[in-house]
Amino acid sequence: MTTPAAERGRTTVADRAVRRIAERAATEALAPGAVEVGGGSAAVRGRRARVGVTVTLPYPAKLDEAGESVRSHVAERTARLTGLTVPSARIRVRGLSRHGLSGGQRLAPPVAATEAAGPRAHRPWAQRRLPVAVLTLLGAAVCGLLLYDVVSVHAAGHAPARWRAEVMEWLSTHGPDSGTAMGVLAAAGVFLLGVWLLVLAVTPGRRDVLPMRPPLPGVRAVLDRRAAAALLRDAVTDVPGIGEVRVRVGRRTARVRAGLEFGGLEGARRAAEEAAEAATAGLGLAGPLRLRVRLNTEPGWRAPTDSGSRPDTGSKPAAMERSTPDEPTP
């Protein structure tokens, strides 16, 4: 009897091979050499594979469109080369490359991307797998040991374990009502631990990222706050006369503080606001980001002279601040 060729063996695709294919596919998504790969992951389960790649995108680029282009290309290319089913790819944008794209290169449009706003995006929850696993295993071990001792005493008539008797005796003489420093410290520690666990349970935790507009249903995208701050800082720095720029991006507000080295204060302020608003609009965030732009003059700044007026030679530097209409000026 001859065994059919299809039943003589089995072909297994390793996770490492799928990961390398996904990383290579990410570099091919946009223009050649535009995407830098910082790492990847892959998990093969039967005929299905889940892949993830950490990339650095070129600057300037629309992050939502560029990220969707990379995601769709990685999923399609990996599925075609491995023969596996890749339902989706997880793309994490680590940063932006200052090299950017050359003048003749353009980003590939995302697959089935639409200009209409997608469903409302929520902040991603932190997975915290390791702390939860450690606390769960520790609690299960303690509860299992205590349950075994209680059942052995009441069901089998055995004497209670020595460690449980010693613990109960210690607690009866060193409880919080005893007034000892050890009991008070133990009670305070348990209270603080409980408060900390409640805080972890009710807060999303991932405060370092901002949710972006989902380019497709079922796709979740986030933007690191440091990357958003870098984009705003670069945009404001390009304004003529602007020197040092400091940006702080929060959950709903971005604060920009810049120094003016030369030029008119009012014109520079308007140009800085327009540059910051244009950069914010290009981030592709799910919710509006309120801007607060503050412009201070540097010590060597002098007001530009107009015909028939004298230059301002005052020693105090001028400062001007303007907030977006979404937030009143303090």
Side-chain angles (χ1 to χ4, degrees):
M1 180 176 180
T2 304
T3 304
E7 300 178 2
R8 295 176 187 173
R10 182 177 61 180
T11 301
T12 302
V13 181
D15 296 350
R16 182 173 60 179
V18 178
R19 173 177 59 83
R20 291 186 176 179
I21 292 176
E23 293 175 352
R24 183 61 180 270
T27 62
E28 304 170 352
L30 307 180
V35 179
E36 300 176 3
V37 177
S41 61
V44 180
R45 299 293 182 270
R47 300 295 301 175
R48 298 171 63 89
R50 296 185 178 275
V51 296
V53 183
T54 301
V55 299
T56 300
L57 296 180
Y59 174 80
K62 292 185 178 180
L63 295 181
D64 52 351
E65 294 183 3
E68 173 57 22
S69 298
V70 176
R71 188 203 65 80
S72 59
H73 183 80
V74 169
E76 179 184 358
R77 183 72 168 170
T78 305
R80 184 166 64 250
L81 294 180
T82 61
L84 302 174
T85 301
V86 182
S88 179
R90 185 177 67 255
I91 303 300
R92 180 178 182 271
V93 181
R94 182 180 58 182
L96 300 173
S97 174
R98 294 185 179 273
H99 300 291
L101 299 175
S102 61
Q105 295 174 337
R106 295 293 183 267
L107 293 178
V111 178
T114 59
E115 295 294 333
R120 182 180 178 184
H122 300 276
R123 291 181 57 210
W125 285 72
Q127 296 180 350
R128 298 194 184 101
R129 296 177 178 176
L130 182 59
V132 171
V134 172
L135 290 177
T136 302
L137 291 178
L138 182 60
V142 173
C143 294
L145 186 61
L146 180 60
L147 179 63
Y148 171 78
D149 185 66
V150 171
V151 171
S152 64
V153 171
H154 292 277
H158 296 166
R162 182 177 179 181
W163 62 268
R164 187 162 71 93
E166 292 178 354
V167 169
M168 297 301 296
E169 182 180 359
W170 186 89
L171 290 176
S172 63
T173 56
H174 295 79
D177 297 335
S178 62
T180 60
M182 184 63 67
V184 174
L185 291 178
V190 173
F191 173 76
L192 294 177
L193 179 60
V195 171
W196 177 244
L197 292 177
L198 288 176
V199 171
L200 294 180
V202 301
T203 57
R206 295 197 63 185
R207 300 181 179 274
D208 58 335
V209 296
L210 299 172
M212 302 177 63
R213 290 192 303 268
L216 290 175
V219 177
R220 300 181 62 182
V222 294
L223 176 64
D224 192 273
R225 288 188 185 182
R226 292 172 295 182
L231 285 172
L232 290 176
R233 182 170 55 251
D234 292 343
V236 177
T237 304
D238 292 339
V239 176
I242 298 295
E244 182 182 1
V245 179
R246 290 180 295 176
V247 180
R248 182 178 180 182
V249 178
R251 290 182 55 186
R252 298 182 179 87
T253 306
R255 293 175 173 83
V256 181
R257 301 186 62 179
L260 182 62
E261 296 180 347
F262 61 88
L265 185 61
E266 181 65 22
R269 179 190 59 77
R270 287 197 301 266
E273 288 181 354
E274 293 175 358
E277 291 175 358
T280 304
L283 295 179
L285 299 179
L289 190 64
R290 295 190 294 265
L291 285 174
R292 297 189 61 181
V293 180
R294 180 178 177 85
L295 188 62
N296 297 317
T297 57
E298 298 293 346
W301 175 86
R302 292 293 182 270
T305 58
D306 297 331
S307 58
S309 63
R310 295 181 303 173
D312 184 10
T313 57
S315 58
K316 295 183 179 180
M320 188 168 293
E321 181 177 359
R322 180 68 61 88
S323 302
T324 56
D326 295 334
E327 182 174 341
T329 304

